[in-house]
Amino acid sequence: MAQLIVRLNGMGYSARWEAHAAAPRIIFEHCPYARIIERHPEVCKMDIFILKQNLSMQVEQITRREKTNRGTYFCQFILRP
């Protein structure tokens, strides 16, 4: 997972992962597609596909462009074996 996070960050995602009791999560604090996401929401499916293929796990997006207290946006994915 650490190698995938490094690659995602190289593509501009500002990605990180967190351990949670139910399942680990990956958070994207920056969306490289932010300018087109409203017209092309299918791009989120591409992110899910990338995560699934690289981690060999089930991936579910649980937040999409949710606003933080700082006024920035993030997406969050939960990983399941």
Side-chain angles (χ1 to χ4, degrees):
M1 190 171 335
Q3 291 176 340
L4 176 59
I5 296 296
V6 169
R7 284 188 297 190
L8 290 167
N9 287 336
M11 295 187 295
Y13 280 91
S14 295
R16 62 186 167 85
W17 76 276
E18 295 179 350
H20 287 263
R25 296 179 186 181
I26 291 183
I27 295 112
F28 293 167
E29 291 190 13
H30 179 262
C31 178
Y33 315 106
R35 290 186 175 163
I36 65 165
I37 202 78
E38 293 304 320
R39 289 184 314 247
H40 299 283
E42 65 273 10
V43 175
C44 294
K45 290 180 183 177
M46 183 180 69
D47 289 338
I48 293 169
F49 178 79
I50 289 169
L51 294 173
K52 280 183 178 181
Q53 292 300 307
N54 283 277
L55 298 172
S56 299
M57 300 178 86
Q58 292 300 312
V59 177
E60 178 186 347
Q61 187 169 12
I62 57 175
T63 59
R64 180 174 173 243
R65 292 193 36 85
E66 190 165 313
K67 197 170 190 175
T68 68
N69 295 343
R70 300 181 314 257
T72 60
Y73 294 90
F74 72 96
C75 295
Q76 190 170 193
F77 304 84
I78 192 165
L79 310 175
R80 302 193 193 277

